[in-house]
Amino acid sequence: MTAAIPQNPPFLRPVVADPASVEAAIESRQSIRAYLPTPVPRPLLERLLALASRAPSGTNTQPWKVYVLQGASRDALVQKVCAAHDAVRADPALAEQYRESYDYYPKQWISPYIERRRENGLSLYTLLGIGKGDKDRMHAQWQRNYRFFDAPVGLFVTIDKAMGGGSLLDTGMFLQNLTLAARAHGLDACAQAAWNGYASIVLPHVGAGDNEMLVCGLALGYADPSDPINTFRTPRLPVAAFTTWLE
C-alpha cells in the first residue's frame, strides 16, 4: 500500500493547483526520434523558452544561450553536417577534424554504466530491425540525429567557455525545463549530444562567437504517432537502487 503524500502546512507555499499534470509531463517525457512536419508557432517557442529560463543557476548566472533553427537555416545545416558525417565514414581519418569541446561520455567506460549503454543501443536497434553488422543502416540511423529526426525545429544551446563546469549543470536544468514545458503543450523533444562533434560546423552556421562552447542540440516538434521508434521507452532504476537514507 502506497503511503499518502502529506499536504503542505498552511504557512508554506501552496501545492501546485494540478500536480497530476506536472507529474504527467515528467513521466511522459521521452526522447522522441520521429516527428511530424507540423510547424511550431514562434509565440509558442518563445513561451517554452521563457518557462525554461526559470531553471535555477548558480548565483543566477543564467549561462545558457539558445539558437533556434527553422526552415532554410535548419535545412542548410542538416545538409552540411550530413555531408561531413558521410565524409568521415568514407575516410575515418577526417574524424580528427571534428572533436567535442568537452567529454560528454567517459574515455573509459566502467560497470554498471557500460551495461546500461549497451542495453540501450541493443534495445533500440532491435526494435528497428538493425543487426549488429549492418553498418549501412546503423550509419543511416545515426545520421537521423543530424536531420533532427525530421523535427521542424532544431535548437542549439551554448555557454561561454569562460564559465565553470557548474554551468553545464545549470544548462542541463534549463534543458529539462524546456522538454517538460514542451510536453505540457503537446510537443516532444530529444536532447542530442551527437551534434557536439560537429561544433566547428554548427557554431559558425548559427553565428556563435569564438567564446561559445556547444553544449548540445535539441530536436523539437510534434511526435509522429505512427512511427514504431517512438514506442521505445527506456527503463529506470527503482528509487532504492540509487538512494541512501540517513536519519
Side-chain angles (χ1 to χ4, degrees):
M1 181 176 180
T2 303
I5 299 176
Q7 297 298 304
N8 278 17
F11 55 85
L12 296 181
R13 279 154 51 91
V15 174
V16 173
D18 186 9
S21 291
V22 177
E23 292 189 4
I26 295 171
E27 290 181 339
S28 65
R29 188 220 62 80
Q30 64 187 89
S31 295
I32 291 297
R33 295 177 173 86
Y35 293 83
L36 298 171
T38 308
V40 182
R42 179 164 175 169
L44 177 52
L45 290 171
E46 291 178 347
R47 177 59 179 161
L48 298 181
L49 290 167
L51 290 168
S53 73
R54 295 305 309 173
S57 60
T59 62
N60 199 34
T61 50
Q62 303 175 67
W64 46 79
K65 188 169 183 178
V66 181
Y67 298 89
V68 182
L69 281 71
Q70 298 172 277
S73 63
R74 173 205 173 280
D75 296 346
L77 181 63
V78 165
Q79 185 176 12
K80 290 178 186 178
V81 176
C82 284
H85 184 232
D86 286 340
V88 169
R89 187 191 183 194
D91 182 3
L94 294 176
E96 286 298 313
Q97 298 180 21
Y98 305 111
R99 305 296 295 268
E100 296 180 338
S101 299
Y102 69 98
D103 292 330
Y104 186 92
Y105 293 111
K107 289 184 170 63
Q108 181 65 46
W109 285 92
I110 61 172
S111 184
Y113 314 110
I114 184 61
E115 288 83 8
R116 294 173 191 165
R117 176 181 171 87
R118 287 170 177 164
E119 178 187 18
N120 185 75
L122 179 60
S123 298
L124 179 61
Y125 278 28
T126 298
L127 174 65
L128 295 172
I130 300 176
K132 187 175 181 180
D134 194 342
K135 294 183 178 180
D136 289 341
R137 290 190 65 194
M138 291 174 69
H139 177 81
Q141 179 57 38
W142 188 256
Q143 194 169 101
R144 296 275 296 149
N145 279 283
Y146 308 127
R147 302 181 186 279
F148 294 107
F149 302 111
D150 296 329
V153 182
L155 298 93
F156 291 99
V157 182
T158 70
I159 61 172
D160 196 301
K161 294 176 182 176
M163 300 302 287
S167 289
L168 289 171
L169 175 63
D170 298 339
T171 305
M173 290 187 279
F174 170 87
L175 287 162
Q176 179 73 349
N177 269 8
L178 180 57
T179 61
L180 296 181
R183 284 300 306 126
H185 286 270
L187 293 99
D188 280 285
C190 183
Q192 300 174 272
W195 289 95
N196 292 4
Y198 293 98
S200 61
I201 298 175
V202 172
L203 295 177
H205 182 88
V206 301
D210 292 340
N211 62 309
E212 292 178 60
M213 180 181 81
L214 181 62
V215 176
C216 71
L218 186 134
L220 188 144
Y222 296 95
D224 183 351
S226 68
D227 196 308
I229 199 171
N230 287 337
T231 65
F232 181 64
R233 187 167 171 82
T234 51
R236 290 295 183 271
L237 297 171
V239 172
F242 58 79
T243 306
T244 299
W245 301 91
L246 305 172
E247 296 182 0

